[in-house]
Amino acid sequence: EVLALVSRPAFDPNLFAHGISTKAWSALNNNPFHPMDDKAITGEYPPGSTFKIVTGTAALTEGKVSPEEKILDTGHHWIIPNGNSEGEAPGWINFKEALAHSDNVYFYEMGNRLGIDNLEKYARMFGLGARTGIDLPYEADGLVANRRYKEKNFEDGEWDLSETFDAAIGQGFNLVTPLQAAMVMGEIAADGKRYKPHVVSRIQTQNGEVVKDFQPELLSTLEVPENVIKLVQEGLHDVTKFGTAAST
């Protein structure tokens, strides 16, 4: 159930109540921030570090890393010199520490070990690159970084390792709607279950008679071990304890 959904900048719907003026209509249409677009479901943006949930789930499930293995982060990856924001260099870190601190270098390495095809596989398993099915019009699909997209849209269609690195931390070609980003978080919170989001709870008559009641609709379940979901949950919880969202 979607309990709150906001798009900014917004507009005053009262403008349309008795027929909108030419001046007001022109102002809305010429606003460079497109206030009439429902950005929560039509806006497509790089997911950034929220995508590390996908990368981490894939790496653990595919056995590319163990929860205990520590990777040395000196501030930059040793193959391609991509680094952390503000030049952070935390040293030896394991999975939960990397997720809690949203460590780029660790997840660059996970992308390196997985490859773009595995990253695409798990992103689609989470439901990315497709509409969630919410009961609202004009929902966007988003985009999962993949080889075919580059081959189709770029003259130099050969996939580069640097693009895998970008994809692993939610940059590059990856695009999601805010609703899709919430969906990914919801799947982890619901132990791997993906439900169809909806804003309508029920339809009833003026007399209170229920015409239709909308119940949770399970769309898919992540095909990953339970302990992987648990590790991701713990890592995300640590984000609020001592990670990037901790109180200072």
Side-chain angles (χ1 to χ4, degrees), residues 148-213:
R148 295 178 304 284
Y149 175 80
K150 187 179 182 186
E151 289 171 358
K152 182 179 178 180
N153 292 280
F154 292 85
E155 185 175 344
D156 176 17
E158 186 175 351
W159 191 265
D160 296 324
L161 179 60
S162 63
E163 291 165 326
T164 301
F165 276 35
D166 288 339
I169 66 164
Q171 302 292 342
F173 298 126
N174 282 319
L175 294 173
V176 303
T177 66
L179 179 63
Q180 288 174 330
M183 173 189 71
V184 169
M185 194 67 70
E187 286 176 79
I188 295 299
D191 297 326
K193 297 180 177 64
R194 178 164 63 96
Y195 292 94
K196 183 178 180 179
H198 62 99
V199 294
V200 178
S201 177
R202 62 182 174 273
I203 300 172
Q204 62 186 47
T205 67
Q206 290 181 327
N207 297 325
E209 179 184 353
V210 177
V211 176
K212 186 172 183 179
D213 187 42

Side-chain angles (χ1 to χ4, degrees), residues 45-65:
Y45 311 98
S49 291
T50 59
F51 192 86
K52 291 170 183 173
I53 294 171
V54 176
T55 304
T57 299
L60 290 168
T61 302
E62 294 293 321
K64 302 299 183 181
V65 72

Side-chain angles (χ1 to χ4, degrees), residues 207-229:
N207 297 325
E209 179 184 353
V210 177
V211 176
K212 186 172 183 179
D213 187 42
F214 294 87
Q215 296 298 319
E217 181 179 342
L218 182 64
L219 297 178
S220 65
T221 301
L222 294 176
E223 298 176 9
V224 302
E226 290 183 12
N227 68 306
V228 169
I229 299 291

